[in-house]
Amino acid sequence: MNIFKIVYRNIRHRRLSSLLTIFSVMLGTGLVVAILILKNESEQAFSQTATGYELIIGPKGSSLQLTLSTIYQIGTPVQNMPVKVYELLKNDKRVKSAIPYVLGDNYKGFRLVGTVPEIFSEFQYKKGIKYSLSGGNFFSYDFEAVIGSDVADKSGLKTGSKFTGSHGIESYEGSETHDEYNFTVAGILNKTYTPADKVIFVTMNSIWKLHGSHFPEENKTDGNTSKLKNTDEINENSNSITSVFVTLKNPVYFDLLRRQINENMYEGINAQAVLPVFEIKQLFDIIGNINSILMVIAYLVVFVAVISILVSIYNSMSDRKHEIAILRILGAGRSTVMKMIILEGMFVSIAGAFLGIASGHILIYLLREKITDMAGIEITGMTFSVSEIYLFTGTVILTMTVSIIPALTAYRNDAAENLNRN
Amino acid sequence: MLNIKNLRKSFTNSNNETFNVINIPEFILEDSELLAISGDSGSGKSTFLSLISGIISPDMGEITINGTDITKLSESKKDLFRAKHISYIFQSFNLLQGFNALENVMIGMMFHGKADRKKSADALAKAGLSGKLFSRPPELSVGEQQRVAVARAIVNKPVLLLADEPTANLDPLNSQSVTGIIKNLCSESNISLIIVTHERNVISEFSNVREFSEINKAAGVLINK
């Protein structure tokens, strides 16, 4: 028997009140942790996904919309632009690699992205990391598809599977399907923890054919595929693209190229060049304000929870005067009694804060797929930040501080007067 | 063992009237002495025991226990002194409801040293409760609850045991049993005892009996208004 056991038994003796108090602390700290995880993981995911290339070139319009629709598969593309833009950039001596993107169709809600084979050989989706296969091959022909890992997991498509695309970038009931063309899965990508996991990569020609049928009949559903045509065959006048990822040979070209494009001084094309890292920073500046409001609310919940510990202990003091008087007559000093009350608050807050932090992680972990589906980025719920340590110690210290109020009541308890109460 | 000189204590009521409750010019209790004090309700007997135990402080006077004047001790030293040397038994048992019999006795040991499980179990066995170690107070009869309180009081082997109407809530059979246990355990362990009671059957168990009015000269005299 020691002071800790007495405190523990006191908490257990008032089980319901203690559990409710622990729950309120858990709720507050859980909310803060959930917000912290979402903030940290989304910032990390968004920033990492936008680091393997320097510029995105797209039609004039919202630069943020262009970034979100191209990199994160969120929302609709701004507009389309002529494939000539890609051709010009590809042949620009300052450009190391130019990867075009054509959006337009989906399979069960997974977006079909028309692109070129260089997306697998040159494009870095994160700094220094290229796409790799977990099975099969990269596409060599039109109507061959390379699918992201989540597409494979959720749609059941395997290497060799055939599927038909539906019109539009989102899936909806009654959407028009392109039954005349079948795609064949050529390969499956390793998990990248980026929106690409939910993407089906096909050739640009495939997308154009679905919509415009600019190419001969041999590509239709007879099971054959046509050999991938080189870019010279792309019909510059009729076909359009959504955007182009650009990596430069030297960062010194960055400002000039961007200015040329944005000020319509680049071969007469009407487009915009955006810096994805900058756009994401802008986005988080906006989200940051909302995030701050949420954090303030969450911290207020923690504060209210801490006050509930104070109220709970303080309300119990009148019932416990007798118990404290017994301890005093058994030799417990005033300071010992005071210590016991503060320890009680500390135990309750430790339990509440610990459970809160754990439940915050568990909550996000359980909702990770929904969040990933909604936001297009990988959220695990399993990243821990130093802020959680501050939250834990802050909650415990604050509780111990407010527990001084009932502890002083215990300290001033008149043992002689309360001993004969029963 | 216990030597009291010129002890005074007064209380002020809500009407701002001050009453002298304790006025004891001298009181001596020898080592191992078993003393029963009888007196009317409200005569200040409980206040007297509270003063000896140090949970309230006198207005003036000395209370010397084994050579230590407890009125001169700081609050924390007084708490420690009480934990080591004095035990208390109450009319209302004063057991901690959330703890079983064994734990209640162990808590009695905790504040002056190590809470010894074996010693606590032995003390409960001596009080006739070896089969009730893990019963909580609500699961015990009133007689058993008071015997737990007795075990808690003697487990530390105090030099002085103060018993304030310890049998007032008990039936005659339990009253006789508890009084017998208190007497025997105090005699066995050479513990000095002051038992305050107004029950004739308890008083009759003791050869050494004093009227409180002989000890206390105050008897609620109004000092000022």
Side-chain angles (χ1 to χ4, degrees):
Chain A
M1 184 64 61
N2 55 44
I3 190 170
F4 295 102
K5 194 163 182 189
I6 293 179
V7 171
Y8 167 68
R9 295 296 290 274
N10 276 334
I11 292 169
R12 233 180 64 172
H13 191 54
R14 280 182 298 281
R15 203 170 289 128
L16 182 64
S17 160
S18 304
L19 282 175
L20 287 173
T21 317
I22 287 171
F23 180 74
S24 65
V25 178
M26 185 183 99
L27 199 67
T29 48
L31 266 175
V32 174
V33 167
I35 294 168
L36 278 174
I37 295 169
L38 286 177
K39 175 181 173 285
N40 294 340
E41 287 201 20
S42 57
E43 269 184 18
Q44 196 182 12
F46 270 87
S47 311
Q48 276 186 359
T49 310
T51 53
Y53 36 86
E54 276 121 4
L55 287 168
I56 300 173
I57 317 299
K60 291 259 194 229
S62 163
S63 53
L64 182 60
Q65 191 183 347
L66 174 65
T67 306
L68 291 176
S69 64
T70 307
I71 306 176
Y72 305 104
Q73 313 299 330
I74 298 171
T76 52
V78 178
Q79 275 178 21
N80 286 335
M81 61 184 183
V83 72
K84 180 186 163 195
V85 180
Y86 162 61
E87 284 298 297
L88 289 168
L89 287 164
K90 187 171 177 271
N91 296 321
D92 190 315
K93 290 193 172 14
R94 297 169 294 181
V95 172
K96 187 177 168 190
S97 75
I99 309 291
Y101 249 44
V102 187
L103 295 172
D105 288 293
N106 78 89
Y107 171 68
K108 291 184 176 175
F110 297 109
R111 292 185 179 192
L112 266 66
V113 172
T115 185
V116 291
E118 288 80 4
I119 194 164
F120 304 118
S121 57
E122 293 177 14
F123 181 74
Q124 296 178 0
Y125 65 89
K126 285 181 189 172
K127 204 159 194 143
I129 309 173
K130 293 177 185 171
Y131 292 121
S132 60
L133 290 166
S134 65
N137 300 298
F138 295 120
F139 54 64
S140 306
Y141 299 96
D142 290 342
F143 295 97
E144 281 190 337
V146 175
I147 61 174
S149 59
D150 287 355
V151 181
D153 290 344
K154 288 176 186 167
S155 70
L157 290 176
K158 297 183 179 75
T159 308
S161 299
K162 291 189 183 303
F163 66 93
T164 308
S166 300
H167 191 69
I169 56 171
E170 307 289 346
S171 174
Y172 57 93
E173 205 173 322
S175 61
E176 185 193 336
T177 55
H178 299 288
D179 293 332
E180 68 274 32
Y181 292 107
N182 267 350
F183 284 95
T184 304
V185 178
I188 300 168
L189 294 176
N190 279 318
K191 198 160 183 68
T192 62
Y193 296 101
T194 69
D197 293 336
K198 294 184 178 358
V199 164
I200 298 171
F201 291 107
V202 296
T203 63
M204 283 196 294
N205 279 337
S206 309
I207 299 284
W208 288 332
K209 283 175 187 175
L210 289 179
H211 294 103
S213 300
H214 304 292
F215 290 86
E217 291 297 308
E218 74 255 19
N219 300 315
K220 294 201 174 177
T221 55
D222 56 2
N224 297 322
T225 52
S226 64
K227 180 78 180 131
L228 187 65
K229 301 188 187 313
N230 68 41
T231 47
D232 294 338
E233 292 180 73
I234 295 169
N235 184 337
E236 291 180 12
N237 298 320
S238 310
N239 299 319
S240 57
I241 58 172
T242 312
S243 53
V244 183
F245 288 96
V246 170
T247 311
L248 298 168
K249 285 179 180 161
N250 194 319
V252 295
Y253 304 134
F254 174 82
D255 272 336
L256 180 63
L257 181 63
R258 192 167 67 141
R259 204 167 57 244
Q260 281 180 323
I261 293 171
N262 286 341
E263 294 173 10
N264 297 339
M265 295 187 299
Y266 189 73
E267 307 286 345
I269 65 163
N270 186 25
Q272 64 171 329
V274 302
L275 176 62
V277 176
F278 177 76
E279 295 302 322
I280 294 309
K281 191 184 171 301
Q282 296 264 62
L283 176 67
F284 275 99
D285 284 346
I286 300 164
I287 295 173
N289 293 332
I290 301 162
N291 198 50
S292 301
I293 294 167
L294 286 175
M295 286 300 274
V296 168
I297 294 167
Y299 277 118
L300 278 175
V301 175
V302 174
F303 184 73
V304 169
V306 168
I307 296 299
S308 78
I309 297 180
L310 163 68
V311 172
S312 164
I313 298 176
Y314 195 84
N315 283 345
S316 73
M317 291 315 293
S318 61
D319 298 333
R320 295 161 73 178
K321 280 181 181 167
H322 182 230
E323 179 188 303
I324 290 165
I326 296 170
L327 292 172
R328 293 274 288 114
I329 198 70
L330 291 174
R334 287 181 191 276
S335 58
T336 306
V337 170
M338 200 171 163
K339 213 182 296 172
M340 285 166 68
I341 301 298
I342 294 173
L343 276 175
E344 188 173 322
M346 192 181 91
F347 279 8
V348 168
S349 64
I350 285 176
F354 179 78
L355 290 173
I357 289 172
S359 61
H361 282 279
I362 291 167
L363 179 75
I364 300 296
Y365 178 78
L366 294 176
L367 295 175
R368 69 192 188 286
E369 290 195 5
K370 279 233 172 283
I371 297 167
T372 305
D373 282 348
M374 282 162 54
I377 49 165
E378 183 76 7
I379 298 286
T380 64
M382 288 298 133
T383 52
F384 294 84
S385 70
V386 72
S387 308
E388 291 172 39
I389 298 169
Y390 297 147
L391 174 69
F392 183 86
T393 43
T395 306
V396 174
I397 289 169
L398 184 63
T399 308
M400 287 172 76
T401 309
V402 298
S403 297
I404 290 173
I405 297 167
L408 280 172
T409 310
Y411 183 89
R412 287 193 289 260
N413 182 51
D414 186 334
E417 189 186 314
N418 290 305
L419 272 170
N420 288 317
R421 289 170 76 237
N422 214 344
Chain B
M1 202 287 297
L2 171 65
N3 200 335
I4 293 175
K5 276 185 190 164
N6 297 323
L7 187 68
R8 294 208 182 178
K9 180 69 182 173
S10 56
F11 290 106
T12 303
N13 67 13
S14 54
N15 295 327
N16 219 19
E17 298 166 329
T18 305
F19 291 90
N20 198 357
V21 178
I22 297 290
N23 178 4
I24 300 174
E26 187 168 42
F27 175 84
I28 293 170
L29 186 76
E30 301 295 343
D31 284 344
S32 310
E33 185 179 345
L34 309 183
L35 171 67
I37 295 176
S38 66
D40 296 332
S41 294
S43 59
K45 300 188 298 294
S46 295
T47 305
F48 175 55
L49 295 188
S50 294
L51 284 164
I52 296 172
S53 69
I55 55 171
I56 57 173
S57 299
D59 298 336
M60 61 175 288
E62 293 172 12
I63 303 167
T64 307
I65 299 169
N66 274 358
T68 304
D69 182 357
I70 64 163
T71 63
K72 301 272 192 301
L73 295 177
S74 67
E75 184 84 18
S76 57
K77 283 187 177 162
K78 213 186 285 182
D79 292 331
L80 193 61
F81 187 88
R82 181 167 58 250
K84 278 184 180 171
H85 301 294
I86 305 168
S87 282
Y88 220 125
I89 301 172
F90 303 88
Q91 175 183 337
S92 52
F93 323 137
N94 284 333
L95 299 179
L96 295 165
Q97 300 299 303
F99 297 83
N100 64 34
L102 184 65
E103 288 165 342
N104 263 286
V105 177
M106 287 170 77
I107 289 170
M109 301 184 79
M110 210 183 94
F111 299 108
H112 99 283
K114 192 173 176 290
D116 190 311
R117 194 182 175 85
K118 187 176 179 307
K119 281 183 186 170
S120 301
D122 288 347
L124 282 165
K126 281 179 186 170
L129 290 170
S130 49
K132 303 273 185 176
L133 300 186
F134 304 107
S135 302
R136 289 174 189 246
E139 297 158 4
L140 298 168
S141 69
V142 285
E144 288 169 335
Q145 288 187 49
Q146 191 59 302
R147 280 188 275 159
V148 174
V150 172
R152 183 178 67 185
I154 55 105
V155 72
N156 283 335
K157 298 207 180 333
V159 294
L160 176 61
L161 174 59
L162 307 170
D164 187 1
E165 303 276 10
T167 58
N169 285 342
L170 306 181
D171 59 54
L173 201 65
N174 269 313
S175 172
Q176 195 182 13
S177 162
V178 166
T179 309
I181 291 168
I182 293 172
K183 268 181 71 181
N184 289 341
L185 293 176
C186 285
S187 299
E188 261 178 40
S189 305
N190 297 323
I191 298 168
S192 302
L193 169 71
I194 300 174
I195 181 167
V196 161
T197 183
H198 63 272
E199 289 183 74
R200 299 226 167 268
N201 59 333
V202 175
I203 293 166
S204 66
E205 296 283 326
F206 291 86
S207 54
N208 184 13
V209 179
R210 291 180 70 180
E211 272 292 325
F212 192 57
S213 57
E214 288 173 20
I215 301 165
N216 183 23
K217 308 298 179 193
V221 175
L222 179 66
I223 299 172
N224 61 37
K225 191 170 180 180

